[in-house]
Amino acid sequence: MYEVFDATGDGQEPVDTQTAPGGFGEVVSFNLADGYYKIRATADGYQESWHTSSSGRYSDSFRELLGYQERKTFETADAIVVDSVTGTSSWTSAGWTVLHPSESSISGGVGNDVSAQQGSLLADVAVELYDAAAPDPGAGRVAFTETDGNGYYTFQDVAPGVYKVRFKAGNVERWWPETPNRAEAEPITLDGANHFNLAYAFFLDTPAAVGPLHVLTLAGEPAVGATLTASTDYVEGGWGLEGCLHRYSWYVGGQLVGGAFGPTFVVPLAADGKSVTARLDIAGVGCSYTAFASNAVGPVDPGLTISGANVVVAPVDNDGRTDVALKFADVGTPGTTTVTRLGSGDAYPDGGFSSLTSRPLYYDIETTAVFSSTLGVLVCITFDTFGMSDDQAAGQHLYHYVGGAWADITDTALSGTGKVCGRTTSFSPFAVGQPRWPFRGFLQPVDNGGTLNAMKAGAAAPIKFGVGGNRGLDILAAGAPSSSAIACPGGAALDDIEQTMAAGSSSLSYAAGSDTYTYVWKTQKAWAGTCRQFTLGLNDGTTHTALFDFRK
């Protein structure tokens, strides 16, 4: 029911009353004298609603449905003017009049096209209310309902808070307004005494065809980390004061990038050698469904180093691989970064590390970009861990050849299994390796060097050694230790093993007091009259040998 009040009165007694017809969007007419009036709408089971400038006029009727509305009073309602000279008034009921069933609610209608007219609204559409702070679209659901037979829905008595609304019908899923991305959805704030009205039109199940009349242009460098910007020559206004909704989708190598939306896009590392494109879909109440496709930017040059902060590149090396990634803290002048994998490290002095990768990893890295030598560059190299123990796979270090020597630049906090990182302020060769432990040599009773250690075949020999601390008991390389028969060297010094142990199984132990490992080597009686070389292989990639002469 519509009630008209004299705007200059006290709002107690209406000057005219009309009941709205049952048809959708039909007009209520009043024969009023010239003057100023205020209008109230009421219905059984709903709270009263007073006309405001954003809710009653036809041209702006959808503004209320798409926006925020408080329930007004007589004092706060807007006055309308009736003027017989011009034969017009500033109000018509042909627009939307919204009534709310409770003090705090969210309501609206769901349609399958842009008209939002009778016949276009959809029944049985799932409508879900979510806590806006919940990070996962599947978490934080507060309430669920479905649209009724007329295509309308309402969440009543909603607690104060910030919410987002999702609609689901068939294969179509959208967050309000008009987006598949929860992060892009607009929050709805209720304070316990206000209402929100959401008019909504689904995207069609079949995406809009790309229109040939307008252009979507991408601008930006084809480089990892570069920001690409999409701009169009066409802006559609929609109905009333509501603009159309613009949804951007981004593609790398023709594949949709999940979670990427909006008119800007940062080129990811995965775009190396591929082109980037975008698509713009336009929709909304009173907007035509249309789409634009952009030009392609690329292929992305993985070595192109743009200016700016935190610039990431992953150049393709001479083997066609991108195992080396660099992050420049600050680049003042752009340039190109190159990575060359070297055949070996033979041209450089020993660096105190062992190469455990199936092919030693040595790289020469160069750049023409001018970067901050104070803030430097983070270098990360991934590698194949085949044949490595778990400790070796996670314990590789990054070395930088500078000043005529290898320097360990490893950042252990950023390194891990199959990956090693370090920071540098200059470029020259880099290597991946296992730091060698400070092996103290074999300790008594075993002698080092070319000395033959004489002992009785079948006895157990205590092989003692130190590696600069307790490194756990998993320090032996795969298959180590081992022994092999050798020709007894003539003229070699001979030294008896003064200490042997009862025969038993071989074992390894560590004594913290003396910082000594002991491997009990069980020999065989059949070795009598022969010489053998004992080989101790460690997980740092080193091997150490001792010679033995076995007697009966």
Side-chain angles (χ1 to χ4, degrees), residues 183-255:
E184 196 178 18
E186 292 188 15
I188 301 162
T189 301
L190 294 181
D191 61 14
N194 60 1
H195 311 281
F196 216 103
N197 304 288
L198 311 178
Y200 188 83
F202 274 118
F203 277 95
L204 304 180
D205 286 330
T206 302
V210 174
L213 300 179
H214 302 286
V215 177
L216 181 65
T217 302
L218 292 192
E221 294 289 336
V224 173
T227 298
L228 304 184
T229 301
S231 58
T232 177
D233 63 344
Y234 175 72
V235 177
E236 188 171 352
W239 288 355
L241 301 179
E242 291 301 321
C244 296
L245 299 164
H246 293 67
R247 178 166 61 88
Y248 293 84
S249 303
W250 293 88
Y251 301 82
V252 171
Q255 298 296 313

Side-chain angles (χ1 to χ4, degrees), residues 431-478:
V432 175
Q434 171 73 50
R436 293 180 194 147
W437 299 325
F439 186 75
R440 291 160 49 194
F442 294 111
L443 308 177
Q444 290 299 312
V446 174
D447 291 308
N448 296 275
T451 301
L452 276 172
N453 294 278
M455 65 175 290
K456 183 179 180 179
I463 309 296
K464 298 182 179 183
F465 58 94
V467 290
N470 183 2
R471 303 184 186 277
L473 296 180
D474 187 22
I475 65 169
L476 301 178

Side-chain angles (χ1 to χ4, degrees), residues 42 85 154 179-180 224 330-331 415 429 439 503:
T42 60
V85 175
T154 297
T179 176
V224 173
D330 184 70
V331 177
S415 302
F439 186 75

Side-chain angles (χ1 to χ4, degrees), residues 76-169:
T76 58
D78 292 327
I80 63 173
V81 179
V82 175
D83 187 343
S84 61
V85 175
T86 61
T88 62
S89 76
S90 59
W91 179 83
T92 173
S93 66
W96 292 85
T97 299
V98 180
L99 300 178
H100 300 280
S102 65
E103 283 286 350
S104 180
S105 66
I106 296 175
S107 59
V110 180
N112 64 2
D113 63 30
V114 300
S115 69
Q117 296 297 314
Q118 191 172 28
S120 71
L121 299 184
L122 300 174
D124 302 321
V125 174
V127 188
E128 300 172 310
L129 186 65
Y130 282 85
D131 180 354
D136 189 325
R141 195 173 82 170
V142 175
F144 171 85
T145 189
E146 293 181 334
T147 55
D148 62 20
N150 295 316
Y152 298 105
Y153 69 92
T154 297
F155 292 108
Q156 299 186 37
D157 300 315
V158 181
V162 182
Y163 301 94
K164 291 187 176 183
V165 176
R166 179 167 67 174
F167 303 89
K168 298 171 68 176

Side-chain angles (χ1 to χ4, degrees), residues 16-41:
D16 198 356
T17 300
Q18 294 283 346
T19 300
F24 183 93
E26 294 187 21
V27 178
V28 174
S29 298
F30 293 97
N31 294 315
L32 300 173
D34 290 359
Y36 293 87
Y37 300 92
K38 293 187 177 184
I39 298 178
R40 178 174 67 182

